[in-house]
Amino acid sequence: MKLVLVEWVDSHSGKGWQPIEEIKKNSKLLYCRSVGWVAHEDYTCISLTPHLSGEKNDSILVYVCGDITIPKKAVTKITVLRRYG
């Protein structure tokens, strides 16, 4: 498995009713960063999990927790931090 840093952009919304000028001023992409083990990756998405267990136990299945799936269209950069196994 690979431990990676994924930099990506996301949408966001305002706080209820507000003047149109505030929306114009705040109309920017939300820059995000996520770190985790790559649980799955294909041409459409990458799925990360920060927690995994059992990979060093021969007879125990690997379990993960806290996953996030990020669309590849939103990804701006992927940096491999560590390769394991």
Side-chain angles (χ1 to χ4, degrees):
M1 295 183 82
K2 294 186 294 189
L3 180 65
V4 297
L5 165 65
V6 177
E7 298 174 58
W8 55 290
V9 292
D10 202 357
S11 58
H12 61 92
S13 62
K15 300 173 186 164
W17 286 94
Q18 56 187 319
I20 189 93
E21 300 309 319
E22 284 296 310
I23 294 172
K24 290 177 183 178
K25 185 175 78 174
N26 295 317
S27 291
K28 298 176 180 118
L29 295 174
L30 182 63
Y31 175 75
C32 305
R33 292 183 289 176
S34 299
V35 174
W37 299 98
V38 177
H40 172 78
E41 183 175 10
D42 62 25
Y43 70 96
T44 64
C45 64
I46 183 168
S47 298
L48 307 179
T49 180
H51 311 289
L52 66 114
S53 67
E55 79 279 5
K56 289 189 175 184
N57 302 90
D58 295 333
S59 61
I60 297 178
L61 294 174
V62 175
Y63 281 84
V64 298
C65 181
D67 61 288
I68 182 172
T69 298
I70 304 165
K72 281 284 184 81
K73 290 181 178 183
V75 173
T76 59
K77 184 177 179 183
I78 299 175
T79 304
V80 176
L81 304 174
R82 181 177 179 191
R83 294 186 191 277
Y84 182 80

